[in-house]
Amino acid sequence: MDSEKRRRYQTAMVSNYYAKNSVINQIIMPDGTEQFNGSDILKLIHGGKVLMVNSRKRNGLILFKEYHAEFAGPGAAIGGDYDSDCQGILPIGNLSLLSPESHEDRQKAYLIRRQWIRLIKQITESPVAQQRVQKILDQFEVFFPAEIVADIPDEAFAMLVGVLPQTVTIVRLLGIDTDN
């Protein structure tokens, strides 16, 4: 009985925290390219437009949904019905978006998006929150320079791997004990 009360209390704390401090409400969507700024990209996504992240550059987008975030890296499709529930975006790197030129390009971009989702899924399968955070930070540092990764808000990483933002802060500051 006490554990049930405690669980409800913890859920209420998390819900209140995210309602007031959601990364979606805090991020000012910066200019991604010469043609698009963040709000333009969001309008295109909500309008059903399908774009793909340029696979020839180190760039990507974190797409914020209601309860989680997804990463669309180089070559991945964004938009269409798939992202109609997107509430905010965070461009990573020097964002460059392209329109798929053919049906085959579009299909390939969707397959690449699925691969990015699978990568994040593999990371989130770890039952230890600190390990999930360390793995996502390591993966992002493989793809992007450390300065870019350092500028990504803790809340964005938290929504990607299903942890509290404080967990990301702690792992960034202290690291984790990898011996366990």
Side-chain angles (χ1 to χ4, degrees):
M1 187 71 164
D2 285 338
S3 64
E4 181 62 31
K5 285 182 185 177
R6 194 170 124 209
R7 205 176 3 243
R8 270 190 259 140
Y9 177 69
Q10 288 173 336
T11 303
M13 282 181 16
V14 171
S15 298
N16 289 337
Y17 178 84
Y18 276 105
K20 294 175 187 166
N21 299 309
S22 174
V23 70
I24 297 166
N25 297 327
Q26 293 176 3
I27 291 177
I28 298 168
M29 293 175 244
D31 192 28
T33 63
E34 291 77 36
Q35 298 102 1
F36 299 112
N37 67 35
S39 60
D40 289 342
I41 296 168
L42 204 54
K43 285 178 190 172
L44 289 171
I45 288 172
H46 287 156
K49 177 84 171 151
V50 175
L51 299 166
M52 58 188 221
V53 179
N54 189 342
S55 62
R56 296 175 191 234
K57 294 187 175 190
R58 287 186 169 211
N59 66 140
L61 273 175
I62 296 178
L63 301 136
F64 296 98
K65 309 290 180 106
E66 187 171 2
Y67 298 109
H68 73 285
E70 297 176 10
F71 179 68
I78 63 163
D81 292 337
Y82 195 73
D83 291 319
S84 62
D85 60 341
C86 186
Q87 297 180 352
I89 60 168
L90 176 63
I92 309 294
N94 187 13
L95 183 63
S96 174
L97 298 174
L98 308 169
S99 292
E101 294 180 10
S102 67
H103 178 73
E104 290 78 24
D105 288 345
R106 180 183 272 207
Q107 292 301 315
K108 183 179 176 186
Y110 276 120
L111 288 173
I112 292 171
R113 172 77 180 268
R114 237 173 63 187
Q115 289 174 339
W116 284 108
I117 290 170
R118 283 185 182 154
L119 174 66
I120 302 298
K121 179 186 177 290
Q122 287 174 348
I123 292 169
T124 60
E125 287 175 348
S126 173
V128 180
Q130 294 89 346
Q131 288 178 352
R132 293 196 304 265
V133 171
Q134 190 61 59
K135 286 180 185 179
I136 194 71
L137 291 172
D138 292 344
Q139 283 296 319
F140 267 71
E141 286 179 356
V142 166
F143 296 112
F144 303 106
E147 315 80 65
I148 289 176
V149 177
D151 287 340
I152 299 172
D154 293 347
E155 292 85 357
F157 284 121
M159 289 184 76
L160 281 169
V161 295
V163 301
L164 292 172
Q166 298 91 319
T167 306
V168 178
T169 304
I170 291 167
V171 171
R172 281 180 152 175
L173 291 174
L174 305 175
I176 61 169
D177 184 7
T178 56
D179 295 334
N180 294 333

